[in-house]
């Protein structure tokens, strides 16, 4: 379990084939310093299991399914990644509950600089759109963020963002990044077209599942 509060920016040091997946060597001195075999570390929002470590790196195996459904499949040696170790019991929950189980991949549509912050507009898969709400929480590349605007739901008319700020996608959300987030995570370097891992709020996912079963006729199946 994670909180989405990034502890350091790591770097992909090596990528080796491992069956139909990869073994990643990640350079992250803070995380590697006390990493132990079998523990979980979130790499840009993907929960990975440590299978080896050195003074400043740790190794993790990434299965093909994870590469297919997350933005990790697009990393290369030298790519920068957000790093967070699992939350210890009794610690403060500074962000929100993040499992490290990526729901899908988003695409950066727009980067708008402000006086002291930066706004990102990110396209998301249609099936995730109902799970993202204005002022709600979302994990982007493992970073806990608050949604500052969302595209309108079907049949609701115009988008909720400011007029004249169109996008190339029917489903999008925006987040506003403070200077600390821009400096302490990889989000400050994002450009239009970049891919990011998305994890929606676990509570929203549970509610969606409950409503799906409630809509079934008694004794029915789907």
């Amino acid at each position: 379990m994670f909180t989405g509060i990034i502890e350091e920016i790591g770097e992909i040091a090596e990528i080796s084939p491992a069956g139909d997946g990869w073994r990643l060597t990640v350079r992250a001195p803070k995380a590697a310093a006390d990493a132990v075999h079998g523990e979980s570390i979130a790499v840009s929002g993907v929960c990975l299991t440590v299978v080896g470590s050195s003074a400043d790196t740790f190794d993790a195996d990434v299965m093909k399914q994870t590469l297919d459904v997350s933005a990790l499949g697009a990393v290369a040696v030298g790519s920068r990644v957000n790093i967070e170790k699992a939350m210890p019991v009794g610690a403060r929950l500074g962000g929100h509950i993040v499992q490290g189980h990526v729901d899908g991949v988003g695409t950066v549509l727009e980067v708008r600089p402000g006086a002291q912050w930066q706004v990102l507009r990110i396209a998301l898969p249609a099936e995730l759109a109902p799970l993202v709400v204005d002022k709600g929480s979302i994990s982007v590349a493992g970073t806990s963020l608050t949604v500052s605007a969302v595209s309108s739901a079907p049949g609701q008319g115009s988008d909720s963002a400011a007029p004249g700020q169109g996008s190339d996608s029917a489903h999008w959300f925006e987040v506003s990044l403070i200077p600390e987030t821009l400096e302490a995570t990889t989000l400050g370097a994002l450009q239009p077209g970049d891919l990011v891992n998305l994890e929606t709020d676990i509570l929203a996912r549970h509610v969606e599942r409950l409503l799906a079963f409630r809509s079934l006729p008694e004794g029915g199946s789907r």
Side-chain angles (χ1 to χ4, degrees):
M1 193 71 66
F2 306 92
T3 70
I5 303 300
I6 303 305
E7 298 176 16
E8 66 178 314
I9 297 177
E11 180 182 321
I12 303 298
E14 186 177 345
I15 301 175
S16 305
D20 62 355
W22 291 348
R23 173 163 291 189
L24 295 181
T25 298
V26 183
R27 183 170 291 107
K30 290 182 182 178
D34 58 354
V36 297
H37 190 280
E39 77 167 290
S40 296
I41 297 179
V43 178
S44 285
V46 181
C47 178
L48 299 179
T49 300
V50 174
V51 296
S53 63
S54 69
D56 65 348
T57 67
F58 66 88
D59 300 327
D61 290 331
V62 187
M63 68 180 73
K64 182 179 184 300
Q65 181 188 17
T66 303
L67 296 174
D68 289 342
V69 303
S70 76
L72 280 187
V75 300
V77 172
S79 293
R80 286 159 40 105
V81 288
N82 291 323
I83 301 295
E84 181 189 0
K85 301 192 76 172
M87 178 179 65
V89 175
R92 291 185 175 89
L93 184 61
H96 71 284
I97 295 175
V98 177
Q99 294 181 297
H101 303 161
V102 173
D103 293 316
V105 176
T107 303
V108 178
L109 294 174
E110 185 182 357
V111 178
R112 298 200 308 274
Q116 292 184 323
W117 58 85
Q118 189 164 279
V119 177
L120 298 181
R121 177 174 289 195
I122 300 173
L124 75 167
E127 64 272 18
L128 298 185
L131 305 177
V132 180
V133 299
D134 190 23
K135 306 303 185 292
S137 296
I138 191 167
S139 170
V140 177
T143 307
S144 175
L145 298 172
T146 299
V147 177
S148 56
V150 292
S151 54
S152 59
Q156 286 190 346
S158 61
D159 290 340
S160 60
Q165 295 176 352
S167 76
D168 297 328
S169 174
H171 303 286
W172 52 263
F173 67 93
E174 292 184 349
V175 288
S176 299
L177 309 180
I178 62 173
E180 173 65 20
T181 303
L182 294 172
E183 293 179 8
T185 75
T186 62
L187 302 186
L190 290 175
Q191 297 296 322
D194 287 345
L195 303 179
V196 288
N197 291 320
L198 302 178
E199 181 183 334
T200 57
D201 190 348
I202 185 174
L203 296 178
R205 300 202 302 272
H206 276 297
V207 169
E208 182 185 53
R209 180 69 168 167
L210 287 168
L211 291 175
F213 273 92
R214 249 181 215 190
S215 66
L216 292 174
E218 188 173 349
S221 61
R222 176 174 294 173

